[in-house]
């Protein structure tokens, strides 16, 4: 019986955070990672260009036996998740900013996201849904995803002085690239920081309809890298996780 992969797609290295979380919880499930680093970051591109790039990547992913795929990119999820789900035979999980758990803290929640994510109707709907529980301060860090992409693996080189001043009850990281700076952002803002990584990993496992054996008795299963920077992404993944 041919093994099926759980696939992860991102514009670059950000999705490695989701891949690592999934592999830690479900180490015996074969995975593949497709990074489109050559076109990263996606956040300042048009909706049409983002959709075109995402479909090109998914068509290549679909040439492999896939149990389910994760859009490990908030921007792509915001722009074309429904279109991808309607176009491919395998289940597709999206990555959304963790607004819900952050809103439970009440007060003023800082939401950090790319321009494309922030302007999407999907994001606006999400914020409206929880507007009765907290107020939201929205901030787009311009080329932060690109800076993180270029700084890897030394993320300490990324300057965080751009973060807005103020007192926040929580912060939401609306881009998987930002997760590499999660601890530093939490320290600088002095509040809890939410990213949605673990919740997405668990949801992906459920829709993949695969069975994970006892991780205490199993070694790590197959992991392959695809895309225009597969060697770079593999090296970075192995060095960081």
């Amino acid at each position: 019986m041919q093994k099926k992969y759980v696939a992860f797609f991102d514009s670059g290295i950000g999705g490695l955070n989701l891949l690592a979380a999934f592999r830690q919880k479900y180490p015996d499930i074969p995975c593949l990672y497709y990074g489109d680093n050559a076109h990263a970051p996606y956040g300042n591109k048009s909706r049409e260009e983002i959709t075109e790039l995402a479909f090109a990547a998914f068509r290549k992913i679909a040439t492999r036996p896939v149990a389910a795929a994760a859009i490990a990119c908030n921007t792509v999820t915001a722009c074309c998740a429904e279109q991808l789900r309607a176009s491919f035979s395998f289940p597709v999980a999206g990555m959304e900013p963790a607004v819900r758990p952050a809103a439970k803290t009440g007060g003023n929640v800082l939401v950090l996201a790319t321009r494309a994510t922030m302007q999407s109707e999907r994001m606006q709907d999400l914020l409206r849904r929880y507007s009765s529980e907290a107020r939201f301060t929205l901030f787009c860090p311009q080329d932060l995803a690109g800076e993180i992409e270029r700084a890897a693996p030394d993320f300490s080189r990324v300057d965080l002085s751009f973060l807005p001043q103020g007192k926040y009850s929580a912060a939401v990281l609306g881009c998987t690239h930002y997760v590499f700076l999660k601890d530093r952002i939490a320290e600088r803002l002095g509040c809890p920081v939410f990213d949605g990584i673990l919740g997405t990993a668990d949801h992906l496992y459920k829709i993949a309809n695969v069975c994970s054996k006892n991780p205490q008795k199993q070694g790590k299963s197959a992991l392959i890298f695809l895309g225009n920077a597969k060697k770079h992404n593999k090296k970075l993944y192995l060095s960081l996780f």
Side-chain angles (χ1 to χ4, degrees):
M1 182 176 179
Q2 189 179 36
K3 63 185 175 185
K4 287 193 172 185
Y5 292 90
V6 171
F8 298 78
F9 163 68
D10 187 58
S11 62
I13 65 174
L16 294 176
N17 288 294
L18 179 58
L19 172 65
F22 186 88
R23 296 271 290 173
Q24 185 173 6
K25 293 196 72 172
Y26 311 109
D28 55 302
I29 296 176
C31 295
L32 69 84
Y33 186 87
Y34 191 106
D36 186 23
N37 304 48
H39 298 104
Y42 281 11
N44 291 321
K45 299 183 186 300
S46 69
R47 183 188 184 97
E48 292 72 24
E49 187 176 3
I50 292 166
T51 300
E52 182 180 347
L53 290 170
F55 267 84
F58 263 72
R59 283 192 289 269
K60 292 177 182 178
I61 289 171
T63 63
R64 304 286 179 136
V66 175
I71 308 170
C73 175
N74 292 272
T75 296
V76 173
T77 299
C79 290
C80 58
E82 286 78 10
Q83 292 169 259
L84 290 168
R85 291 187 181 114
S87 301
F88 294 91
S89 60
F90 45 81
V92 177
M95 186 83 204
E96 284 192 330
V99 170
R100 180 183 179 182
K104 292 180 180 179
T105 66
N108 186 14
V109 176
L110 177 66
V111 181
L112 303 173
T114 67
R115 178 181 58 80
T117 299
M118 203 74 80
Q119 294 178 349
S120 69
E121 187 59 33
R122 192 185 191 102
M123 180 65 159
Q124 296 305 312
D125 284 343
L126 189 62
L127 295 173
R128 282 193 292 267
R129 201 180 312 160
Y130 298 102
S131 60
S132 63
E133 299 180 37
R135 64 183 185 277
F136 300 103
T137 297
L138 310 182
F139 185 78
C140 178
Q142 295 302 325
D143 191 38
L144 179 58
E147 291 181 30
I148 292 170
E149 191 85 22
R150 293 185 291 271
D154 184 10
F155 301 112
S156 66
R157 295 190 292 134
V158 179
D159 180 22
L160 292 181
S161 62
F162 66 87
L163 288 174
Q165 300 293 316
K167 185 174 178 60
Y168 303 102
S169 58
V172 175
L173 303 183
C175 173
T176 50
H177 280 74
Y178 303 170
V179 179
F180 286 115
L181 307 179
K182 183 176 180 177
D183 291 342
R184 290 181 59 204
I185 291 174
E187 181 179 3
R188 188 172 184 89
L189 294 176
C191 67
V193 175
F194 297 84
D195 58 46
I197 292 288
L198 292 179
T200 303
D202 288 337
H203 176 62
L204 179 61
Y205 173 71
K206 290 176 183 176
I207 67 171
N209 194 28
V210 289
C211 181
S212 180
K213 301 174 185 177
N214 187 341
Q216 301 301 320
K217 297 182 179 180
Q218 298 293 318
K220 295 256 181 177
S221 190
L223 172 60
I224 60 175
F225 288 82
L226 304 175
N228 44 49
K230 57 187 179 182
K231 290 183 179 179
H232 170 75
N233 290 337
K234 180 179 181 179
K235 182 178 179 180
L236 186 62
Y237 176 82
L238 294 176
S239 67
L240 292 176
F241 305 104

